[in-house]
Amino acid sequence: MGRKKAAISGQLADVDLRLLRVFRSVVEAGGFSAAEIQLNLANSTISNYIADLEKRLDMRLCERGRAGFSVTHQGQAVYDATLELLSAVDQFRNRVNQSHNRIFGQLHIGFAEHMLGAHNSSIVTALNRFADKAPDVRVQITTMSSDDVTTAVLEKQVDIGITVLPHAFPELDTLALFEEQMQLYCGAGHPLFDRTRLVTKEELLEHKFVESPRLMPGREIHPDMRHWNKQAKAHHQEARATLILSGHYLGFLPTHVVQNWGLDKDVRPLMPDEYGYSNTFAAVWRKKHANEVIINAFTQCLQESLLVNLSRKM
């Protein structure tokens, strides 16, 4: 039988900070299973960490079971205190970083899915420069949907996001990186796939669409899209491509994804001049952030990589 761990008293140990970081991730993810990918830990390990923290604090932090995950009143108080504590730790690290030429800490980047398929040069160059500039910084990259990246940045779950902003946010700084071309596609087996004559706007109204972020109410990029019959929803590109390939739905995909996945013969673009559009990917980060020294170092590397890539094209 192991020795019983003492509850947190006058001093915090490294293990306490580690357990509190796990607890923060679980709360922000909305449960143990949802936090597995972000923490790169098994569900059972996360459960053991939270149980250990509850023993050390001598309180119940969250409820988990068939009814779902929820944070207790005490758990909410600990979560709020954890945010203040970890922010203070980051501020301390920033001050230490500023006192010498070495940078320590962690950089968590949120990437929109499949972004690197065609536009990896500026990001890879920036990561290369950053690794040379800050070799002691631990880098974590999480891939998610475009909208989820924005939310993660706003809620301080990641330090920097690489995504397409749905609109401007006063809390965020941005750095434009590259463009992505989007087209409306139908899959083999769809009535419009083998059409030899031009497809009309009126005909599109007779078919089903899969909703993507830019087809959500109020975010349509063309007034005609407000009248389209959106019978399915898939905000992740792989899921959307699957529905389009079924031959029953029309939907938008990036042209580079279609090419990289070898789908050129399986899908057909429809009315590209009328409904094709481009997305502007940008690096986004909060204007005020406790991890600003590391964020500023990486965004500087991004700016330098953009200049390098621009000079190569000239």
Side-chain angles (χ1 to χ4, degrees), residues 25-74:
S25 297
V26 170
V27 173
E28 292 175 350
F32 292 8
S33 297
E36 286 184 43
I37 295 178
Q38 179 178 342
L39 292 171
N40 194 28
L41 295 172
N43 191 299
S44 58
T45 303
I46 296 174
S47 180
N48 290 336
Y49 281 165
I50 298 302
D52 194 5
L53 181 61
E54 288 178 327
K55 290 179 183 178
R56 295 175 70 80
L57 294 174
D58 192 24
M59 60 178 62
R60 184 75 169 175
L61 299 177
C62 54
E63 303 294 343
R64 53 271 198 192
R66 293 183 178 179
F69 175 84
S70 62
V71 181
T72 65
H73 179 71
Q74 289 180 320

Short mmCIF file of all heavy atoms in Angstrom, two decimals, residues 25-74:
data_model
loop_
_atom_site.label_atom_id
_atom_site.label_comp_id
_atom_site.label_asym_id
_atom_site.label_seq_id
_atom_site.Cartn_x
_atom_site.Cartn_y
_atom_site.Cartn_z
N SER A 25 -7.28 21.59 -18.27
CA SER A 25 -7.55 21.06 -19.62
C SER A 25 -8.85 20.26 -19.65
O SER A 25 -9.62 20.36 -20.61
CB SER A 25 -6.39 20.19 -20.08
OG SER A 25 -5.20 20.95 -20.20
N VAL A 26 -9.09 19.49 -18.61
CA VAL A 26 -10.32 18.68 -18.55
C VAL A 26 -11.55 19.59 -18.50
O VAL A 26 -12.54 19.36 -19.20
CB VAL A 26 -10.29 17.74 -17.33
CG1 VAL A 26 -11.64 17.09 -17.12
CG2 VAL A 26 -9.22 16.68 -17.52
N VAL A 27 -11.49 20.61 -17.67
CA VAL A 27 -12.62 21.54 -17.56
C VAL A 27 -12.87 22.24 -18.89
O VAL A 27 -14.01 22.35 -19.36
CB VAL A 27 -12.38 22.57 -16.44
CG1 VAL A 27 -13.48 23.64 -16.45
CG2 VAL A 27 -12.32 21.88 -15.09
N GLU A 28 -11.80 22.72 -19.52
CA GLU A 28 -11.96 23.47 -20.77
C GLU A 28 -12.38 22.58 -21.93
O GLU A 28 -13.06 23.03 -22.85
CB GLU A 28 -10.64 24.19 -21.09
CG GLU A 28 -10.34 25.30 -20.10
CD GLU A 28 -8.99 25.97 -20.31
OE1 GLU A 28 -8.20 25.44 -21.13
OE2 GLU A 28 -8.73 27.01 -19.68
N ALA A 29 -12.01 21.30 -21.87
CA ALA A 29 -12.42 20.36 -22.92
C ALA A 29 -13.84 19.86 -22.69
O ALA A 29 -14.50 19.39 -23.62
CB ALA A 29 -11.45 19.18 -22.99
N GLY A 30 -14.31 19.92 -21.44
CA GLY A 30 -15.65 19.46 -21.13
C GLY A 30 -15.73 18.00 -20.76
O GLY A 30 -16.80 17.40 -20.84
N GLY A 31 -14.62 17.40 -20.33
CA GLY A 31 -14.66 16.02 -19.91
C GLY A 31 -13.33 15.31 -20.12
O GLY A 31 -12.42 15.83 -20.77
N PHE A 32 -13.21 14.12 -19.56
CA PHE A 32 -11.97 13.35 -19.63
C PHE A 32 -11.67 12.91 -21.06
O PHE A 32 -10.56 13.06 -21.56
CB PHE A 32 -12.06 12.13 -18.72
CG PHE A 32 -12.10 12.44 -17.26
CD1 PHE A 32 -12.23 13.74 -16.79
CD2 PHE A 32 -12.01 11.43 -16.31
CE1 PHE A 32 -12.26 14.04 -15.44
CE2 PHE A 32 -12.04 11.71 -14.97
CZ PHE A 32 -12.16 13.01 -14.52
N SER A 33 -12.67 12.32 -21.72
CA SER A 33 -12.45 11.80 -23.08
C SER A 33 -12.08 12.91 -24.04
O SER A 33 -11.20 12.76 -24.89
CB SER A 33 -13.69 11.06 -23.57
OG SER A 33 -13.97 9.94 -22.76
N ALA A 34 -12.76 14.07 -23.90
CA ALA A 34 -12.50 15.19 -24.79
C ALA A 34 -11.10 15.77 -24.58
O ALA A 34 -10.55 16.42 -25.48
CB ALA A 34 -13.55 16.28 -24.58
N ALA A 35 -10.52 15.55 -23.41
CA ALA A 35 -9.19 16.11 -23.10
C ALA A 35 -8.05 15.17 -23.48
O ALA A 35 -6.88 15.54 -23.38
CB ALA A 35 -9.10 16.45 -21.61
N GLU A 36 -8.36 13.94 -23.90
CA GLU A 36 -7.33 12.95 -24.18
C GLU A 36 -6.33 13.42 -25.24
O GLU A 36 -5.11 13.30 -25.07
CB GLU A 36 -7.96 11.63 -24.63
CG GLU A 36 -8.62 10.85 -23.52
CD GLU A 36 -9.15 9.52 -24.01
OE1 GLU A 36 -8.44 8.85 -24.76
OE2 GLU A 36 -10.28 9.15 -23.66
N ILE A 37 -6.86 13.94 -26.36
CA ILE A 37 -5.98 14.34 -27.46
C ILE A 37 -5.12 15.53 -27.05
O ILE A 37 -3.91 15.56 -27.30
CB ILE A 37 -6.82 14.68 -28.70
CG1 ILE A 37 -7.54 13.43 -29.20
CG2 ILE A 37 -5.93 15.26 -29.80
CD1 ILE A 37 -8.42 13.67 -30.40
N GLN A 38 -5.75 16.52 -26.42
CA GLN A 38 -5.01 17.72 -26.03
C GLN A 38 -3.89 17.39 -25.04
O GLN A 38 -2.78 17.93 -25.14
CB GLN A 38 -5.96 18.74 -25.41
CG GLN A 38 -5.27 20.02 -24.95
CD GLN A 38 -6.25 21.03 -24.38
OE1 GLN A 38 -7.45 20.95 -24.60
NE2 GLN A 38 -5.75 21.98 -23.62
N LEU A 39 -4.18 16.50 -24.08
CA LEU A 39 -3.18 16.15 -23.06
C LEU A 39 -2.26 15.03 -23.50
O LEU A 39 -1.24 14.79 -22.86
CB LEU A 39 -3.91 15.75 -21.77
CG LEU A 39 -4.66 16.85 -21.04
CD1 LEU A 39 -5.50 16.27 -19.92
CD2 LEU A 39 -3.69 17.89 -20.48
N ASN A 40 -2.66 14.31 -24.57
CA ASN A 40 -1.91 13.14 -25.02
C ASN A 40 -1.78 12.12 -23.89
O ASN A 40 -0.72 11.53 -23.66
CB ASN A 40 -0.52 13.55 -25.53
CG ASN A 40 0.15 12.43 -26.32
OD1 ASN A 40 -0.52 11.59 -26.92
ND2 ASN A 40 1.47 12.41 -26.31
N LEU A 41 -2.90 11.92 -23.19
CA LEU A 41 -2.95 10.97 -22.08
C LEU A 41 -4.18 10.08 -22.24
O LEU A 41 -5.19 10.50 -22.79
CB LEU A 41 -3.04 11.71 -20.73
CG LEU A 41 -1.84 12.57 -20.31
CD1 LEU A 41 -2.18 13.35 -19.06
CD2 LEU A 41 -0.60 11.70 -20.08
N ALA A 42 -4.09 8.87 -21.73
CA ALA A 42 -5.23 7.97 -21.76
C ALA A 42 -6.29 8.43 -20.76
O ALA A 42 -5.98 9.08 -19.75
CB ALA A 42 -4.78 6.55 -21.43
N ASN A 43 -7.53 8.05 -21.01
CA ASN A 43 -8.64 8.43 -20.14
C ASN A 43 -8.38 7.96 -18.71
O ASN A 43 -8.63 8.71 -17.75
CB ASN A 43 -9.94 7.82 -20.68
CG ASN A 43 -11.17 8.38 -19.99
OD1 ASN A 43 -11.33 8.23 -18.79
ND2 ASN A 43 -12.04 9.00 -20.76
N SER A 44 -7.88 6.76 -18.55
CA SER A 44 -7.64 6.22 -17.21
C SER A 44 -6.56 7.02 -16.48
O SER A 44 -6.65 7.24 -15.26
CB SER A 44 -7.22 4.75 -17.30
OG SER A 44 -6.06 4.59 -18.11
N THR A 45 -5.54 7.47 -17.22
CA THR A 45 -4.47 8.27 -16.61
C THR A 45 -5.01 9.62 -16.15
O THR A 45 -4.69 10.08 -15.04
CB THR A 45 -3.32 8.48 -17.60
OG1 THR A 45 -2.84 7.21 -18.04
CG2 THR A 45 -2.18 9.27 -16.97
N ILE A 46 -5.82 10.24 -17.00
CA ILE A 46 -6.42 11.52 -16.63
C ILE A 46 -7.29 11.35 -15.39
O ILE A 46 -7.26 12.18 -14.46
CB ILE A 46 -7.26 12.08 -17.80
CG1 ILE A 46 -6.37 12.39 -19.00
CG2 ILE A 46 -8.02 13.33 -17.37
CD1 ILE A 46 -7.13 12.81 -20.24
N SER A 47 -8.07 10.28 -15.37
CA SER A 47 -8.93 10.01 -14.21
C SER A 47 -8.11 9.85 -12.94
O SER A 47 -8.47 10.38 -11.88
CB SER A 47 -9.75 8.74 -14.47
OG SER A 47 -10.59 8.47 -13.36
N ASN A 48 -6.97 9.16 -13.03
CA ASN A 48 -6.10 8.99 -11.86
C ASN A 48 -5.52 10.32 -11.40
O ASN A 48 -5.41 10.58 -10.19
CB ASN A 48 -4.97 8.01 -12.18
CG ASN A 48 -5.46 6.59 -12.34
OD1 ASN A 48 -6.50 6.22 -11.80
ND2 ASN A 48 -4.71 5.78 -13.08
N TYR A 49 -5.15 11.18 -12.36
CA TYR A 49 -4.60 12.50 -12.01
C TYR A 49 -5.64 13.33 -11.27
O TYR A 49 -5.33 14.00 -10.27
CB TYR A 49 -4.14 13.22 -13.27
CG TYR A 49 -2.79 12.78 -13.80
CD1 TYR A 49 -2.38 13.10 -15.08
CD2 TYR A 49 -1.93 12.03 -13.01
CE1 TYR A 49 -1.14 12.69 -15.58
CE2 TYR A 49 -0.69 11.63 -13.49
CZ TYR A 49 -0.31 11.96 -14.78
OH TYR A 49 0.91 11.55 -15.25
N ILE A 50 -6.87 13.35 -11.79
CA ILE A 50 -7.91 14.15 -11.14
C ILE A 50 -8.23 13.60 -9.76
O ILE A 50 -8.42 14.36 -8.79
CB ILE A 50 -9.19 14.19 -12.01
CG1 ILE A 50 -8.89 14.85 -13.36
CG2 ILE A 50 -10.31 14.95 -11.29
CD1 ILE A 50 -8.36 16.26 -13.27
N ALA A 51 -8.28 12.27 -9.64
CA ALA A 51 -8.53 11.66 -8.34
C ALA A 51 -7.41 12.02 -7.36
O ALA A 51 -7.67 12.29 -6.17
CB ALA A 51 -8.64 10.14 -8.49
N ASP A 52 -6.18 12.02 -7.84
CA ASP A 52 -5.03 12.39 -7.01
C ASP A 52 -5.16 13.84 -6.55
O ASP A 52 -4.92 14.16 -5.38
CB ASP A 52 -3.74 12.19 -7.79
CG ASP A 52 -2.50 12.23 -6.90
OD1 ASP A 52 -2.67 12.33 -5.67
OD2 ASP A 52 -1.38 12.17 -7.43
N LEU A 53 -5.54 14.73 -7.48
CA LEU A 53 -5.71 16.15 -7.12
C LEU A 53 -6.82 16.31 -6.09
O LEU A 53 -6.69 17.11 -5.14
CB LEU A 53 -6.01 16.97 -8.37
CG LEU A 53 -6.20 18.47 -8.16
CD1 LEU A 53 -4.93 19.11 -7.59
CD2 LEU A 53 -6.57 19.16 -9.49
N GLU A 54 -7.90 15.58 -6.26
CA GLU A 54 -9.01 15.68 -5.30
C GLU A 54 -8.57 15.22 -3.91
O GLU A 54 -8.97 15.80 -2.90
CB GLU A 54 -10.19 14.84 -5.80
CG GLU A 54 -10.90 15.45 -7.00
CD GLU A 54 -12.04 14.59 -7.51
OE1 GLU A 54 -11.94 13.34 -7.41
OE2 GLU A 54 -13.03 15.16 -8.02
N LYS A 55 -7.72 14.19 -3.86
CA LYS A 55 -7.22 13.74 -2.56
C LYS A 55 -6.32 14.79 -1.94
O LYS A 55 -6.37 15.05 -0.74
CB LYS A 55 -6.44 12.43 -2.75
CG LYS A 55 -7.32 11.24 -3.09
CD LYS A 55 -6.47 9.98 -3.29
CE LYS A 55 -7.33 8.80 -3.70
NZ LYS A 55 -6.51 7.58 -3.95
N ARG A 56 -5.48 15.40 -2.76
CA ARG A 56 -4.54 16.40 -2.24
C ARG A 56 -5.27 17.65 -1.75
O ARG A 56 -4.84 18.31 -0.81
CB ARG A 56 -3.51 16.77 -3.30
CG ARG A 56 -2.59 15.60 -3.68
CD ARG A 56 -1.66 15.94 -4.82
NE ARG A 56 -0.63 16.91 -4.43
CZ ARG A 56 0.47 16.62 -3.78
NH1 ARG A 56 0.70 15.38 -3.37
NH2 ARG A 56 1.36 17.54 -3.50
N LEU A 57 -6.38 17.97 -2.41
CA LEU A 57 -7.16 19.14 -2.01
C LEU A 57 -8.24 18.80 -1.00
O LEU A 57 -8.85 19.70 -0.40
CB LEU A 57 -7.81 19.78 -3.24
CG LEU A 57 -6.86 20.40 -4.27
CD1 LEU A 57 -7.64 20.86 -5.49
CD2 LEU A 57 -6.09 21.57 -3.67
N ASP A 58 -8.52 17.50 -0.86
CA ASP A 58 -9.57 17.02 0.05
C ASP A 58 -10.94 17.62 -0.33
O ASP A 58 -11.67 18.14 0.52
CB ASP A 58 -9.23 17.37 1.51
CG ASP A 58 -10.15 16.64 2.49
OD1 ASP A 58 -10.70 15.58 2.11
OD2 ASP A 58 -10.33 17.14 3.62
N MET A 59 -11.26 17.55 -1.64
CA MET A 59 -12.56 18.05 -2.10
C MET A 59 -12.92 17.39 -3.43
O MET A 59 -12.04 16.90 -4.15
CB MET A 59 -12.55 19.57 -2.27
CG MET A 59 -11.53 20.11 -3.26
SD MET A 59 -11.59 21.92 -3.45
CE MET A 59 -11.19 22.48 -1.80
N ARG A 60 -14.21 17.36 -3.70
CA ARG A 60 -14.71 16.81 -4.96
C ARG A 60 -14.72 17.92 -6.00
O ARG A 60 -15.38 18.95 -5.83
CB ARG A 60 -16.13 16.27 -4.76
CG ARG A 60 -16.74 15.57 -5.98
CD ARG A 60 -16.16 14.21 -6.17
NE ARG A 60 -16.91 13.43 -7.18
CZ ARG A 60 -16.56 12.24 -7.61
NH1 ARG A 60 -15.47 11.67 -7.13
NH2 ARG A 60 -17.28 11.60 -8.50
N LEU A 61 -13.97 17.72 -7.09
CA LEU A 61 -13.82 18.77 -8.09
C LEU A 61 -14.82 18.64 -9.24
O LEU A 61 -15.24 19.65 -9.82
CB LEU A 61 -12.40 18.75 -8.67
CG LEU A 61 -11.28 19.01 -7.66
CD1 LEU A 61 -9.93 18.90 -8.35
CD2 LEU A 61 -11.44 20.36 -7.00
N CYS A 62 -15.19 17.41 -9.59
CA CYS A 62 -16.09 17.24 -10.73
C CYS A 62 -16.88 15.94 -10.59
O CYS A 62 -16.47 15.02 -9.87
CB CYS A 62 -15.32 17.26 -12.05
SG CYS A 62 -13.95 16.08 -12.13
N GLU A 63 -18.00 15.91 -11.27
CA GLU A 63 -18.83 14.71 -11.32
C GLU A 63 -18.64 14.08 -12.70
O GLU A 63 -18.65 14.77 -13.71
CB GLU A 63 -20.31 15.06 -11.11
CG GLU A 63 -20.59 15.78 -9.79
CD GLU A 63 -20.33 14.89 -8.57
OE1 GLU A 63 -20.25 13.65 -8.75
OE2 GLU A 63 -20.21 15.44 -7.46
N ARG A 64 -18.47 12.79 -12.74
CA ARG A 64 -18.34 12.09 -14.01
C ARG A 64 -19.05 10.75 -13.90
O ARG A 64 -18.96 10.08 -12.88
CB ARG A 64 -16.88 11.89 -14.42
CG ARG A 64 -15.98 11.23 -13.40
CD ARG A 64 -15.33 12.22 -12.46
NE ARG A 64 -14.16 11.66 -11.79
CZ ARG A 64 -13.58 12.27 -10.76
NH1 ARG A 64 -14.05 13.42 -10.30
NH2 ARG A 64 -12.51 11.74 -10.19
N GLY A 65 -19.74 10.41 -14.95
CA GLY A 65 -20.50 9.17 -14.95
C GLY A 65 -21.49 9.16 -16.10
O GLY A 65 -21.32 9.86 -17.10
N ARG A 66 -22.54 8.38 -15.96
CA ARG A 66 -23.52 8.27 -17.02
C ARG A 66 -24.24 9.59 -17.29
O ARG A 66 -24.69 9.85 -18.41
CB ARG A 66 -24.56 7.20 -16.66
CG ARG A 66 -23.99 5.78 -16.62
CD ARG A 66 -25.06 4.77 -16.34
NE ARG A 66 -24.52 3.40 -16.34
CZ ARG A 66 -25.26 2.32 -16.11
NH1 ARG A 66 -26.56 2.45 -15.84
NH2 ARG A 66 -24.69 1.12 -16.14
N ALA A 67 -24.36 10.40 -16.25
CA ALA A 67 -25.05 11.69 -16.42
C ALA A 67 -24.18 12.71 -17.15
O ALA A 67 -24.65 13.79 -17.50
CB ALA A 67 -25.46 12.25 -15.05
N GLY A 68 -22.91 12.37 -17.39
CA GLY A 68 -22.02 13.30 -18.07
C GLY A 68 -21.05 13.97 -17.12
O GLY A 68 -21.01 13.67 -15.92
N PHE A 69 -20.27 14.87 -17.66
CA PHE A 69 -19.23 15.57 -16.88
C PHE A 69 -19.76 16.92 -16.42
O PHE A 69 -20.39 17.66 -17.18
CB PHE A 69 -17.99 15.77 -17.74
CG PHE A 69 -16.91 16.59 -17.08
CD1 PHE A 69 -16.00 16.01 -16.22
CD2 PHE A 69 -16.83 17.96 -17.31
CE1 PHE A 69 -15.01 16.76 -15.60
CE2 PHE A 69 -15.85 18.72 -16.71
CZ PHE A 69 -14.94 18.12 -15.85
N SER A 70 -19.48 17.27 -15.17
CA SER A 70 -19.83 18.60 -14.66
C SER A 70 -18.86 18.98 -13.56
O SER A 70 -18.29 18.11 -12.88
CB SER A 70 -21.27 18.63 -14.13
OG SER A 70 -21.42 17.74 -13.04
N VAL A 71 -18.65 20.27 -13.39
CA VAL A 71 -17.74 20.78 -12.37
C VAL A 71 -18.54 21.15 -11.14
O VAL A 71 -19.60 21.79 -11.23
CB VAL A 71 -16.98 22.02 -12.90
CG1 VAL A 71 -16.01 22.54 -11.85
CG2 VAL A 71 -16.22 21.67 -14.17
N THR A 72 -18.07 20.74 -9.97
CA THR A 72 -18.74 21.08 -8.72
C THR A 72 -18.49 22.54 -8.36
O THR A 72 -17.67 23.22 -9.00
CB THR A 72 -18.24 20.18 -7.58
OG1 THR A 72 -16.85 20.48 -7.34
CG2 THR A 72 -18.39 18.71 -7.94
N HIS A 73 -19.19 23.00 -7.35
CA HIS A 73 -18.99 24.38 -6.89
C HIS A 73 -17.55 24.58 -6.44
O HIS A 73 -16.91 25.60 -6.78
CB HIS A 73 -19.96 24.69 -5.74
CG HIS A 73 -19.81 26.08 -5.18
ND1 HIS A 73 -20.21 27.21 -5.88
CD2 HIS A 73 -19.26 26.52 -4.02
CE1 HIS A 73 -19.94 28.28 -5.16
NE2 HIS A 73 -19.36 27.89 -4.03
N GLN A 74 -17.03 23.62 -5.68
CA GLN A 74 -15.63 23.71 -5.25
C GLN A 74 -14.68 23.60 -6.45
O GLN A 74 -13.66 24.28 -6.50
CB GLN A 74 -15.33 22.60 -4.24
CG GLN A 74 -15.98 22.81 -2.88
CD GLN A 74 -15.66 21.69 -1.92
OE1 GLN A 74 -15.63 20.52 -2.30
NE2 GLN A 74 -15.40 22.04 -0.66
#
